[in-house]
Amino acid sequence: MTKKTRYESHQPDECGRVNWSERENKVWAALLQKQLGLLQGRACDEYIHGLELLNLPAERIPQLSEVNSTLIKTTGWQVKQVPSLINFDDFFRLLANKQFPVATFIRSDEEFEYLQEPDIFHEIFGHCPLLTNPAFAHFTHTYGKLGYSASKQDRAFLARLYWFTVEFGLVNTTEGTRIYGGGLLSSPGETIHALESDDCVHAAMQPLDALRTPYRIDIMQPIYYVLDSFDSLFDIAEMDIMTLVERAKNLGLFDPRFLPKEKQAG
């Protein structure tokens, strides 16, 4: 959350609007068109329904007020403009108050397929459709409240659970495995990788296992955890998650399924 980024958020004007450039709107339009095609038969129904509710503009980046008008009516959530990457304190505080952080910048053409940092396409297209869903909204709110009162060490474990659910989660459906994680839904490259690559593993979602699984933000994920059903998010939210964190700390992390960053090349 506090790593450096070369991107910088646009500041809204006195009316709360961001003045996006023609290039930025074109990147949004291209991403939206590509992902809408890729997600057919790959995204879960709950996400598709939320996307229909939001009715995002196809040719320009939406203003946050437009997104809020739908979120407030459905689950009481809002999006909140933030300056690129934020620290864990701010992140958890916002979620605990049903405010989802949105950095007001969009990726460059060079990082079209996969971006480490959460840009506005990732946050709005990837996450906001599911914030209209009660199970997802409840899980995210519960996670925020737990994280805000947790220690620094505990937050590192909670971050892994968030990573393997909200960001890179998969779910079983009657029609097969589908995507619900925003990191996947907003990444053209990883959408295909997660469901069709032989270079990754699908594991049944066990929150204790997810808490113990290392990850890297700058590679395609080698493992994804799969929910039994979308409503399982309700069940996880009602678990004693902090007790699971204590168990995870005592058991320790699993061996990573990737090389350390400095050894990745070559």
Side-chain angles (χ1 to χ4, degrees), residues 49-73:
H49 177 64
L51 198 59
E52 292 169 352
L53 290 175
L54 287 180
N55 192 27
L56 298 172
E59 301 301 325
R60 63 170 176 83
I61 300 171
Q63 297 296 327
L64 300 192
S65 59
E66 295 176 285
V67 178
N68 282 339
S69 65
T70 299
L71 293 183
I72 291 171
K73 286 187 293 186

Side-chain angles (χ1 to χ4, degrees), residues 36-55:
L36 288 176
L38 285 175
L39 294 180
Q40 294 301 315
R42 294 186 175 98
C44 66
D45 289 343
E46 291 82 358
Y47 172 82
I48 298 298
H49 177 64
L51 198 59
E52 292 169 352
L53 290 175
L54 287 180
N55 192 27

Side-chain angles (χ1 to χ4, degrees), residues 114-134:
Y114 179 83
L115 179 72
Q116 294 182 41
E117 297 95 328
D119 69 347
I120 193 166
F121 185 78
H122 168 84
E123 306 290 28
I124 298 297
F125 183 87
H127 288 304
C128 286
L130 282 176
L131 283 173
T132 67
N133 179 275

Side-chain angles (χ1 to χ4, degrees), residues 10-24:
H10 294 299
Q11 292 303 308
D13 63 21
E14 62 275 7
C15 298
R17 297 178 61 84
V18 173
N19 296 310
W20 297 97
S21 70
E22 182 179 357
R23 184 205 70 80
E24 290 167 326

Side-chain angles (χ1 to χ4, degrees), residues 170-235:
L170 301 177
V171 59
N172 284 323
T173 75
T174 56
E175 298 176 337
T177 305
R178 295 291 184 266
I179 296 169
Y180 74 92
L184 294 174
L185 294 163
S186 62
S187 171
E190 196 148 3
T191 294
I192 301 299
H193 174 80
L195 294 181
E196 300 172 27
S197 173
D198 294 329
D199 294 329
C200 64
V201 172
H202 290 184
M205 168 52 76
Q206 297 293 335
L208 181 60
D209 288 348
L211 289 164
R212 299 177 60 205
T213 302
Y215 67 87
R216 275 180 53 184
I217 67 171
D218 59 334
I219 60 173
M220 299 286 186
Q221 299 305 301
I223 183 170
Y224 301 93
Y225 285 100
V226 187
L227 291 174
D228 285 336
S229 70
F230 197 80
D231 284 340
S232 298
L233 285 174
F234 261 129
D235 300 331

